[in-house]
């Protein structure tokens, strides 16, 4: 039973992660977590029921375990607990799918591989449709007077709108670069499947699927997507040539010259098609990334061993932002961002895991000379493409890419043949262990679902408070319910404080709630600004000016804060 249900749970999780963006569909992430938790319980229950729990040695390597321990540690000492906790849940889903896929039987692994090929093809078709028919309707919807921005999309809406205007496809993903990262993993898998099937009909369909995905990758016009895909393919092809053909250094150098020439030609073509290119004077993506990386390195230098907490880079960034830099929430290099959030130990542990995995797959390629070679190469190219793209963007932080990547990394574990561990369970202990595992699984599901309910009430309150027809009293009631489900969310306390002050006239209570939000997350500069404006309305100029000064200190390049302070000085 478990052999059938576990692949189904993995498939459901991948389906929701890829097709339902959590920023638009908050329930998507909750479903992923619940399905993967139930899958882990079934895996443990099957082993306990047999009296012997069998695990692969590569399914939980030391570098990955160390990284997760540090991630938990820096969640508890985070500058914003709820931000770090939410991303810790995502990391849990990555680990869960990696463990489950690594322990699937061959039939289950082929099922997951087929699903990823289908998802890649479907998203490619959707992206192509988007390019020819979908952008105009999207722009009309965004520009409509009654359009209301989804809360999860607010930090990225300017980027999304600019991509739509440039007709860069993103399919079901947040940004074109994330879609490109996804295709950079599914294209090698589709090619690998093409070389393993024997039926001509299937081979023809897979050839069409590869063509559609490559076309969609081109339509993303993503420099990082193409670079990671081509570099990964060249790296693995070079390894194959050295292992299988024993090619000379001269021929190897020729391979890399041809690959770099191809990359140069593609980049030249993309430069002609994109106004924001590495040679443009305005919105130069290369220059902006270098500025982001410079800021991340400064943050690491100031605190190399004590991380600031998972997913908090965007909170600290405004304090370090340099002239000419753009407003970002991610470093566009996940290794550097992890360095700021979990210290050099956390980033080093994840890099160690990446190198460990690549080394294991290269050794598997060296050992295996049979029918598995095309799939080993496909999984290796997909994994290396993800690790390279992680250094160029923040797809690691998006489950649509990250969950798929860890499923692919899990597909590679059985080929490594690192042996197994066996944990024997005595007959008298089987029932207690099974009940304990069920209890822990149910508890985890409840922990995952509670913040989801808080988010639902928060979004409902936003509709009631900011819609065309406002219902202030009901909106405030929903915010109280949201806080009941997630009491440590500074976002909910801040929204409640603003609603009490602005809509219901309960000014003292509103100020108290905003202060509570600041105590939970003191680095949100707009919390301080809103508190300052509340004090000014109340006639307490000294307190108001002090709060706005704190906001400007946290965000020196925020012009609104500077203008308000200038007006206060003139009075």
């Amino acid at each position: 039973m478990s052999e059938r249900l576990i692949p189904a749970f993995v498939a459901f999780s991948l389906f929701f992660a890829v097709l339902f963006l959590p920023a638009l569909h908050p329930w998507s992430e909750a479903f992923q977590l619940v399905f993967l938790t139930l899958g882990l319980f079934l895996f443990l229950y099957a082993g306990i029921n047999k009296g012997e729990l069998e695990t692969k040695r590569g399914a939980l390597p030391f570098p990955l375990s160390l990284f997760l321990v540090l991630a938990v540690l820096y969640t508890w000492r985070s500058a914003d607990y709820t931000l770090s906790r939410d991303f810790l849940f995502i990391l849990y889903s990555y680990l869960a799918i990696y463990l489950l896929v690594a322990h699937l039987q061959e039939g289950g692994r082929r099922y997951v591989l087929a699903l990823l090929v289908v998802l890649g093809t479907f998203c490619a078709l959707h992206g192509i449709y988007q390019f020819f028919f979908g952008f105009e309707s999207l722009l009309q919807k965004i520009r409509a007077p009654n359009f209301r921005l989804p809360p999860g999309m607010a930090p990225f809406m300017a980027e999304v709108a600019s991509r739509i205007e440039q007709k860069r496809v993103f399919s079901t993903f947040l940004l074109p670069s994330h879609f490109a990262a996804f295709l950079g993993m599914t294209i090698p898998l589709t090619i690998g499947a093409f070389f393993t099937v024997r039926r001509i009909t299937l081979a023809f369909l897979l050839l069409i699927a590869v063509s559609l995905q490559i076309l969609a990758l081109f339509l993303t016009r993503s420099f990082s997507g193409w670079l990671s895909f081509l570099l990964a393919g060249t790296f693995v092809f070079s390894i194959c040539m050295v292992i299988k053909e024993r090619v000379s250094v001269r021929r190897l150098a020729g391979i890399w010259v041809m690959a770099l020439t191809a990359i140069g030609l593609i980049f030249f073509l993309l430069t002609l098609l994109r106004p924001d290119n590495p040679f443009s004077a305005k919105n130069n993506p290369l220059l902006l990334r270098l500025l982001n990386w410079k800021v991340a390195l400064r943050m690491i230098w100031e605190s190399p061993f004590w991380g600031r907490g998972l997913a908090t880079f965007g909170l600290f960034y405004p304090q370090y932002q340099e002239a000419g830099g753009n407003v970002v929430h991610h470093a566009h290099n996940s290794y550097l961002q992890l360095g700021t959030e979990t210290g050099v130990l956390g980033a080093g542990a994840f890099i160690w895991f990446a190198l460990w995995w690549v080394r294991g797959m290269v050794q598997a390629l060296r050992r295996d000379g049979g029918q598995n070679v095309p799939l080993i190469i496909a999984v290796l190219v997909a994994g290396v493409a993800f690790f390279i793209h992680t250094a160029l963007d923040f797809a690691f932080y998006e489950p649509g890419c990250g969950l798929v990547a860890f499923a692919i990394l899990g597909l590679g574990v059985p080929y490594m043949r690192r042996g197994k561990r066996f944990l024997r369970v005595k007959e008298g202990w089987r029932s207690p262990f099974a009940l304990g595992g069920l209890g822990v699984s149910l508890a985890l599901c409840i922990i995952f679902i509670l913040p989801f309910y808080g988010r639902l009430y928060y979004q409902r309150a936003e509709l009631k408070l900011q819609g065309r027809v406002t219902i202030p009293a009901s909106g405030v009631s929903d915010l109280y319910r949201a806080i009941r489900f997630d009491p440590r969310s500074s976002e909910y306390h801040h929204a409640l404080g603003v609603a009490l002050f602005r809509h219901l006239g309960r000014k003292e209570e509103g100020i108290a709630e905003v202060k509570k939000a600041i105590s939970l997350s003191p680095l949100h500069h707009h919390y301080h600004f809103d508190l300052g404006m509340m004090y000014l309305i109340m006639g307490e100029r000294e307190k108001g000016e002090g709060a706005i000064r704190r906001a400007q200190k946290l965000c020196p390049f925020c012009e609104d804060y500077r203008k308000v302070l200038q007006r206060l000085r003139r009075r």
Side-chain angles (χ1 to χ4, degrees):
M1 179 180 172
S2 62
E3 292 181 1
R4 295 181 180 179
L5 284 178
I6 292 175
F9 286 153
V10 169
F12 284 136
S13 302
L14 291 170
F15 179 83
F16 287 123
V18 172
L19 300 183
F20 298 95
L21 187 68
L24 293 176
H25 310 282
W27 51 265
S28 170
E29 192 175 312
F31 273 116
Q32 295 166 43
L33 291 165
V34 169
F35 279 125
L36 290 171
T37 300
L38 294 176
L40 286 176
F41 167 71
L42 285 177
F43 168 70
L44 292 172
Y45 177 76
I48 292 170
N49 201 34
K50 291 178 184 176
E52 189 175 67
L53 183 62
E54 177 186 320
T55 59
K56 290 185 171 66
R57 290 184 181 274
L60 192 60
F62 177 74
L64 185 59
S65 304
L66 176 62
F67 171 69
L68 291 168
V69 168
L70 291 170
V72 173
L73 171 65
Y74 288 118
T75 296
W76 289 112
R77 64 177 310 274
S78 171
D80 189 312
Y81 170 77
T82 52
L83 277 178
S84 298
R85 177 207 63 198
D86 291 346
F87 187 64
L88 184 65
F89 288 171
I90 293 174
L91 286 182
Y92 164 84
S93 69
Y94 292 174
L95 173 65
I97 203 165
Y98 177 78
L99 281 169
L100 291 174
V101 173
H103 287 96
L104 289 177
Q105 301 297 324
E106 185 176 356
R109 295 200 302 274
R110 289 189 176 275
Y111 175 74
V112 171
L113 177 64
L115 174 69
L116 291 173
V117 170
V118 170
L119 286 174
T121 307
F122 175 82
C123 290
L125 284 169
H126 183 263
I128 295 167
Y129 168 82
Q130 192 179 61
F131 179 80
F132 288 104
F133 307 106
F135 283 125
E136 290 303 322
S137 61
L138 275 173
L139 284 173
Q140 290 175 7
K141 183 178 179 181
I142 291 172
R143 290 168 179 168
N146 61 345
F147 174 72
R148 185 181 173 278
L149 194 64
M153 291 288 290
F156 308 101
M157 202 57 213
E159 289 187 65
V160 172
S162 69
R163 274 43 169 197
I164 294 173
E165 290 172 356
Q166 295 174 22
K167 295 194 74 173
R168 293 179 57 195
V169 302
F170 50 87
S171 191
T172 59
F173 291 80
L174 182 66
L175 294 171
S177 59
H178 298 167
F179 183 34
F182 171 74
L183 291 172
M185 293 183 285
T186 59
I187 290 172
L189 296 181
T190 310
I191 295 173
F194 171 79
F195 283 106
T196 56
V197 297
R198 296 180 179 178
R199 295 174 59 182
I200 296 177
T201 307
L202 274 179
F204 180 70
L205 290 174
L206 287 169
L207 190 61
I208 294 174
V210 170
S211 303
L212 291 171
Q213 291 177 50
I214 291 175
L215 175 60
L217 178 59
F218 178 75
L219 293 178
T220 65
R221 303 177 191 175
S222 170
F223 290 107
S224 59
W226 275 105
L227 183 62
S228 58
F229 172 62
L230 293 175
L231 285 180
T234 306
F235 168 76
V236 176
F237 182 71
S238 302
I239 294 294
C240 290
M241 289 295 100
V242 170
I243 292 174
K244 304 294 182 183
E245 303 295 334
R246 306 289 183 183
V247 298
S248 63
V249 175
R250 182 179 296 179
R251 289 190 178 181
L252 202 60
I255 292 170
W256 276 96
V257 168
M258 288 189 290
L260 293 175
T261 303
I263 291 171
L265 289 173
I266 291 172
F267 271 40
F268 176 73
L269 184 57
L270 292 177
T271 299
L272 297 177
L273 296 173
R274 280 182 57 175
D276 57 332
N277 60 69
F279 302 103
S280 61
K282 187 179 180 182
N283 293 328
N284 186 317
L286 178 60
L287 179 61
L288 292 175
R289 270 174 168 74
L290 290 174
L291 289 173
N292 296 338
W293 298 349
K294 182 180 177 183
V295 168
L297 288 169
R298 281 177 56 202
M299 293 168 66
I300 294 171
W301 180 260
E302 287 188 8
S303 181
F305 299 108
W306 292 104
R308 294 169 168 84
L310 291 172
T312 58
F313 176 85
L315 285 181
F316 287 90
Y317 176 81
Q319 303 173 50
Y320 295 86
Q321 183 182 348
E322 297 184 357
N326 54 338
V327 179
V328 295
H329 299 272
H330 298 277
H332 288 81
N333 182 321
S334 296
Y335 301 113
L336 291 179
Q337 183 165 339
L338 287 172
T340 67
E341 296 171 354
T342 62
V344 293
L345 291 177
F350 185 72
I351 294 171
W352 183 7
F353 166 67
L355 295 174
W356 171 89
W357 187 87
V358 172
R359 179 173 177 268
M361 290 299 294
V362 170
Q363 289 176 342
L365 186 61
R366 189 190 303 272
R367 283 192 306 265
D368 204 313
Q371 296 178 346
N372 290 328
V373 169
L375 290 179
I376 294 174
I377 293 174
V379 171
L380 181 55
V381 172
V384 172
F386 169 70
F387 289 132
I388 294 174
H389 200 275
T390 298
L392 303 172
D393 207 353
F394 60 97
F396 174 78
Y397 285 80
E398 294 298 321
C401 292
L403 199 71
V404 169
F406 274 81
I408 292 170
L409 298 180
L411 285 173
V413 171
Y415 298 119
M416 297 181 188
R417 299 178 188 172
R418 293 184 176 272
K420 300 176 181 179
R421 295 189 182 95
F422 296 94
L423 177 63
R424 301 189 186 281
V425 182
K426 294 181 180 180
E427 189 169 352
W429 288 94
R430 292 180 190 178
S431 296
F433 272 128
L435 289 173
L438 179 61
V440 170
S441 300
L442 293 175
L444 285 173
C445 290
I446 292 170
I447 290 171
F448 297 145
I449 289 173
L450 286 178
F452 159 67
Y453 274 107
R455 176 61 57 178
L456 285 183
Y457 278 114
Y458 171 71
Q459 291 185 348
R460 194 166 77 171
E462 291 284 291
L463 287 171
K464 293 176 180 178
L465 294 170
Q466 298 179 15
R468 285 195 295 176
V469 179
T470 60
I471 315 173
S474 181
V476 167
S477 297
D478 283 338
L479 286 173
Y480 275 118
R481 293 189 186 98
I483 290 172
R484 198 174 303 137
F485 281 106
D486 197 355
R488 296 186 66 176
S489 173
S490 65
E491 184 180 19
Y492 301 167
H493 283 283
H494 171 259
L496 176 61
V498 171
L500 289 170
F501 190 96
R502 181 183 298 169
H503 295 285
L504 299 186
R506 292 154 59 178
K507 294 181 168 48
E508 295 295 337
E509 292 179 58
I511 289 174
E513 286 295 332
V514 175
K515 283 183 174 180
K516 175 67 174 177
I518 292 172
S519 69
L520 290 170
S521 183
L523 295 177
H524 281 281
H525 51 84
H526 64 281
Y527 291 0
H528 295 275
F529 179 75
D530 288 345
L531 180 63
M533 295 303 293
M534 289 177 178
Y535 277 131
L536 291 177
I537 292 171
M538 294 284 286
E540 300 184 48
R541 174 170 174 165
E542 186 176 347
K543 289 183 178 179
E545 189 172 349
I548 296 172
R549 285 187 184 282
R550 286 192 293 274
Q552 189 188 34
K553 186 177 179 181
L554 292 171
C555 185
F557 285 92
C558 290
E559 285 296 313
D560 291 343
Y561 305 165
R562 185 180 61 81
K563 290 177 182 178
V564 170
L565 288 172
Q566 284 180 343
R567 286 200 299 267
L568 288 173
R569 292 192 197 103
R570 293 192 191 117
R571 292 179 184 176

